Amino acid sequence: MYDNESQRLQLQGRVMRAQRAGTLIIKVNGTDKFGKSHKIKLKSRLKGKYSELIKLESKKIKSEDIKIAWEYKPIIYK
């Protein structure tokens, strides 16, 4: 979800199970109506326990356009 007020991309959810402790990396690309490209990498450290809640937030996204078309790239777990 993109929050217009804070100009940050926010993602929250639940990881049902991780086999071990590690880092969850979610890459997101976006394009605003001016054609400017935005690339964001969201990271969360997981403990490797059953059913963990995650809340990820990007740095402030600088764009004059509040409508950005976002696309998730592959999700990585290291």
Side-chain angles (χ1 to χ4, degrees), residues 1 19 60:
M1 173 180 96
Q19 296 291 328
K60 191 171 184 176

Side-chain angles (χ1 to χ4, degrees), residues 8-36:
R8 296 174 194 274
L9 187 63
Q10 299 171 340
L11 178 67
Q12 54 187 349
R14 179 183 300 271
V15 176
M16 292 307 294
R17 186 172 186 193
Q19 296 291 328
R20 57 180 166 68
T23 302
L24 176 67
I25 302 169
I26 301 174
K27 295 180 180 182
V28 185
N29 291 350
T31 306
D32 61 25
K33 70 179 180 184
F34 304 110
K36 184 176 179 183

Side-chain angles (χ1 to χ4, degrees), residues 16-72:
M16 292 307 294
R17 186 172 186 193
Q19 296 291 328
R20 57 180 166 68
T23 302
L24 176 67
I25 302 169
I26 301 174
K27 295 180 180 182
V28 185
N29 291 350
T31 306
D32 61 25
K33 70 179 180 184
F34 304 110
K36 184 176 179 183
S37 179
H38 302 273
K39 293 183 180 185
I40 295 172
K41 187 186 292 186
L42 303 168
K43 291 183 179 184
S44 180
R45 183 84 180 134
L46 297 179
K47 298 174 187 170
K49 296 183 178 179
Y50 181 75
S51 189
E52 292 182 60
L53 294 174
I54 58 168
K55 186 173 181 179
L56 307 167
E57 186 172 273
S58 71
K59 295 179 182 176
K60 191 171 184 176
I61 300 165
K62 296 178 183 176
S63 176
E64 296 173 18
D65 182 16
I66 61 171
K67 292 185 178 179
I68 299 174
W70 295 106
E71 176 183 60
Y72 291 100

